[in-house]
Amino acid sequence: MSLLAAIPPEVLPRAGVAYVHYLSFMLCFGALVLERRLIKPNPNKADATLMVITDIVYGMAALALLVSGILRVMYFGQGSAFYTENPLFWWKVGLYLSVGGLSLYPTITYILWAIPLRKGELPQVSEALANRLAWILNIELVGFALIPLLATLMARGVGLPAA
Ligand code: HEM
């Protein structure tokens, strides 16, 4: 309680948005790791259902990551020019969008699984499809692991054109 009281009021929203940014990053990464562990040919009902739920959590966390990131650029960071003038920022955004684009394929696949699951049937997942999804998840995990590196450099002004 006294710790909360010691936080200057103007710091709270900045810290709150930063916290949402980190929390959603952790949720995205955790969801991807779980999906990677679960993916296999012809999953049972429990695994297939968990996969669909995990992907919904991933989607919502990815959205929260994007929104909190945009809020930090616009209102709660070091001024929007500090980021938009830095190519490392655009690499970071590009990597995020590439990972997001890659995840469309698994997401559409899991949405299609929900149709048989709701009828009480199991989705048909071939060995080839399971391998393809596993590889996409591997690439997404590497992409996600690289983004914080770009973020920490960017936050310290690395990459900014000399004044
Ligand atoms: C388009 C999406 C994103 C935008 C617009 C964005 C924007 C930002 C901004 C403005 C900061 C504050 C930097 C500062 O302290 O000056 C930040 C920090 C950070 N972001 Fe993002 N971000 C995005 C996506 C991501 C993603 C996908 C990840 C992780 C995978 C991530 C991880 C981080 C980390 C770890 C920091 C802290 C850097 C530090 O203070 O050392 N961001 N981001």
Side-chain angles (χ1 to χ4, degrees), residues 5 16-17 27 31 42 45 51 54 68 77-78 88 96 100 111 113 119 122 141 146 154 157:
V17 174
L27 278 174
N42 298 322
K45 187 167 185 262
M51 203 76 175
T54 308
S68 56
Q78 307 183 51
L88 280 185
Y96 171 85
I111 289 172
W113 288 7
K119 290 189 207 149
L122 288 175
L141 281 165
L146 285 176
M154 163 200 93

Side-chain angles (χ1 to χ4, degrees), residues 105-128:
Y105 179 70
T107 295
I108 290 169
T109 308
Y110 308 142
I111 289 172
L112 294 177
W113 288 7
I115 300 168
L117 279 172
R118 230 179 295 152
K119 290 189 207 149
E121 293 161 16
L122 288 175
Q124 301 294 311
V125 182
S126 66
E127 182 105 35

